Amino acid sequence: RGGYESASKHFNPADVEVDVAGRSFLVTGANSGIGKATAKEIARRGGTVHLVCRNKERAEAAKEEIVKETGNQNIFLHIVDISNPKEIWKFAEKFQNEYKLNVLINNAGCMVNNRELTEDGLEKNFATNTLGTYIMTTALVPLLEKAADARVITVSSGGMLVQKLNISDLQSGNGPFDGVMVYAQNKRQQVVLTEQWAKAHRNIHFSVMHPGWADTPAVRSSMPDFYERMKNSLRTEAQGADTVLWLAVSAEATKLPSGLFFQDRQPVATHLPLAYTHSPPEDEEKLMELLEEFSQKFKSISSG
């Protein structure tokens, strides 16, 4: 929280005091934590918000709270499990026929501490954090390409700084399983995805960010020891969401190049000094190829 408090002294409040009526935003994992805080702030500014959530009851409660607190009726709910690639494809294809989209916020994520497989035989963290983010984004790129001032923001984590991209074991099947490190690897993958997308799609502004460590239900459930030690110095959900909101609505954000990693409204380095976490360009290209193969396999199943 201290980091946020000192950084925020230099924020320009006018950056986010904007009216976004008529613009459409999609937020994944929007029923709690940073996703819900972001959705609420966008709703306050008049935006049309699509909440993409896995749990119907919690999602309906979140929608009700957002409508009640903001008075914005343009809040739509979609029940999709981001760890299920077939569901994402079905959702995206339907969504493109019914709505427009200006801004995609990839916030849904998970940190599962034991190796669990989804019904498709995918390791759960990879399925949600990496493949789910990849499919949601690539499936909606054609819709975003048609929009004015289109943006994609992915909520990563500073934890990725301890990981070098590893494409040899995307589903963490080799050696002992460490959920925290698997999560950090997924978050490194999200940074690489963002950099690659920025090169491939020049009409869309891509960014990835670290929200700082915030007091969210996800942190409480997946990192209980860390939470107990740090709970008095964690950021609030709104503080964690601040840079997401800034990247989503401010005119300042898109003056900076596409593909950067942000913390507290500033671009920051994606590697620590002397950390040896840089990977060769061919590994980054290979990651895209492997994810595209997975993606197409599930696309053909979902349309079949």
Side-chain angles (χ1 to χ4, degrees):
R1 195 188 308 148
Y4 175 83
E5 284 162 359
S6 60
S8 65
K9 294 187 179 105
H10 308 287
F11 292 171
N12 179 0
D15 285 0
V16 293
E17 283 166 14
V18 290
D19 179 354
V20 291
R23 282 176 68 74
S24 174
F25 299 77
L26 189 157
V27 186
T28 67
N31 62 356
S32 70
I34 287 166
K36 184 169 80 174
T38 302
K40 196 178 284 180
E41 290 305 321
I42 292 167
R44 280 206 176 99
R45 289 157 177 78
T48 296
V49 188
H50 294 273
L51 312 174
V52 173
C53 309
R54 189 182 54 195
N55 180 302
K56 194 165 187 290
E57 281 164 46
R58 290 213 300 264
E60 282 168 351
K63 177 185 167 177
E64 201 175 305
E65 181 187 321
I66 291 168
V67 170
K68 194 169 147 190
E69 284 191 29
T70 66
N72 185 338
Q73 299 294 323
N74 292 320
I75 312 297
F76 299 90
L77 196 52
H78 310 272
I79 305 302
V80 186
D81 182 349
I82 302 292
S83 73
N84 184 323
K86 298 186 293 293
E87 263 186 47
I88 302 171
W89 272 119
K90 278 196 179 118
F91 159 74
E93 281 163 7
K94 188 169 183 289
F95 188 89
Q96 292 196 59
N97 295 327
E98 295 175 13
Y99 302 102
K100 65 168 205 154
L101 183 62
N102 298 90
V103 181
L104 167 63
I105 298 169
N106 291 309
N107 163 72
C110 71
M111 187 195 294
V112 179
N113 288 313
N114 297 305
R115 193 169 187 275
E116 265 178 50
L117 300 184
T118 67
E119 62 179 48
D120 297 302
L122 299 167
E123 190 276 314
K124 187 97 182 249
N125 294 292
F126 166 77
T128 308
N129 303 326
T130 302
L131 186 60
T133 298
Y134 178 86
I135 295 178
M136 183 64 82
T137 305
T138 50
L140 292 174
V141 154
L143 191 57
L144 288 159
E145 292 274 14
K146 298 175 192 165
D149 186 14
R151 310 181 187 193
V152 174
I153 298 126
T154 300
V155 178
S156 178
S157 166
M160 67 93 193
L161 291 165
V162 302
Q163 284 282 321
K164 178 181 177 175
L165 178 67
N166 173 13
I167 52 167
S168 66
D169 186 23
L170 286 180
Q171 302 203 57
S172 315
N174 305 334
F177 186 90
D178 178 339
V180 175
M181 286 302 136
V182 170
Y183 178 81
Q185 173 65 215
N186 296 162
K187 295 292 160 178
R188 167 63 70 190
Q189 290 159 357
Q190 290 178 340
V191 170
V192 173
L193 289 180
T194 300
E195 292 168 349
Q196 296 294 317
W197 285 326
K199 289 180 205 164
H201 307 289
R202 303 286 182 174
N203 301 336
I204 302 172
H205 191 273
F206 289 88
S207 53
V208 59
M209 57 79 69
H210 172 42
W213 297 102
D215 186 346
T216 64
V219 168
R220 274 172 252 159
S221 65
S222 57
M223 303 172 76
D225 299 346
F226 170 81
Y227 175 74
E228 276 309 311
R229 279 201 316 277
M230 302 297 290
K231 62 185 176 190
N232 297 323
S233 55
L234 294 174
R235 298 176 176 212
T236 64
E237 291 172 348
Q239 289 170 342
D242 175 79
T243 296
V244 189
L245 178 73
W246 182 82
L247 288 165
V249 305
S250 81
E252 293 306 304
T254 52
K255 290 178 185 172
L256 292 157
S258 182
L260 299 179
F261 180 62
F262 287 82
Q263 183 176 352
D264 293 332
R265 303 192 190 183
Q266 291 288 327
V268 292
T270 54
H271 299 276
L272 294 170
L274 307 176
Y276 305 108
T277 50
H278 292 269
S279 47
E282 54 270 29
D283 279 11
E284 300 183 352
E285 285 156 25
K286 184 68 179 168
L287 174 69
M288 303 308 276
E289 283 170 31
L290 292 168
L291 293 176
E292 185 59 19
E293 278 169 31
F294 272 115
S295 166
Q296 290 304 324
K297 182 177 97 177
F298 289 110
K299 184 183 186 179
S300 59
I301 299 170
S302 84
S303 53

